[in-house]
Amino acid sequence: MNEKQKQEFKGFAAAEIEELKKEIPRLKELVKPVAPDNAIGRISRMDNIVNQSVAKAQLSKAKVRLVRLEEALKRVDEDEDFGLCMDCGDPIPMARLKAMPETPFCVECAE
């Protein structure tokens, strides 16, 4: 991975991290329980429970993505082989690194 590609990945990862750091507190608010004495109605309460479960899943995914991006961002400078497939040594496409920053393999070797 050349220096230009590293800078591109760093910019992408930094932007994603900032977005996730904004998104995570919002999701945490959505998963807070609704007090039973809050008169919102049975149907609305059921909708709220469903929305909470969706928000919990999103929160979990956002936290995992944040950790993976932070780790990948550290590895860009520390690991001289970052962006190269551990199996064949070919460059991992930037689109794959953006989608799965933790991946050590190109698409062909991952299959």
Side-chain angles (χ1 to χ4, degrees):
M1 179 175 265
N2 65 36
E3 199 57 39
K4 183 180 176 186
Q5 291 171 320
K6 284 184 180 182
Q7 291 305 320
E8 179 186 348
F9 182 80
K10 284 181 185 180
F12 164 79
E16 282 279 314
I17 288 170
E18 281 302 311
E19 287 298 314
L20 288 169
K21 285 184 177 180
K22 291 177 188 173
E23 183 72 6
I24 288 172
R26 185 186 73 79
L27 291 170
K28 284 182 178 178
E29 284 296 315
L30 294 176
V31 299
K32 286 185 176 178
V34 175
D37 59 336
N38 192 354
I40 61 173
R42 185 175 64 85
I43 300 297
S44 295
R45 187 172 306 286
M46 291 172 65
D47 283 343
N48 192 32
I49 290 169
V50 169
N51 290 339
Q52 280 181 329
S53 66
V54 170
K56 282 180 185 177
Q58 288 175 326
L59 178 61
S60 176
K61 287 180 181 180
K63 286 179 177 180
V64 168
R65 176 95 173 142
L66 178 62
V67 169
R68 288 178 176 171
L69 281 166
E70 288 173 339
E71 289 298 316
L73 199 54
K74 288 178 191 174
R75 285 192 352 251
V76 170
D77 289 326
E78 295 172 1
D79 186 1
E80 62 187 46
D81 291 333
F82 181 81
L84 298 177
C85 178
M86 288 180 61
D87 236 11
C88 66
D90 289 344
I92 300 171
M94 185 61 69
R96 180 167 172 82
L97 285 174
K98 288 178 178 179
M100 299 174 61
E102 73 282 2
T103 189
F105 301 108
C106 66
V107 176
E108 289 178 18
C109 293
E111 291 175 348

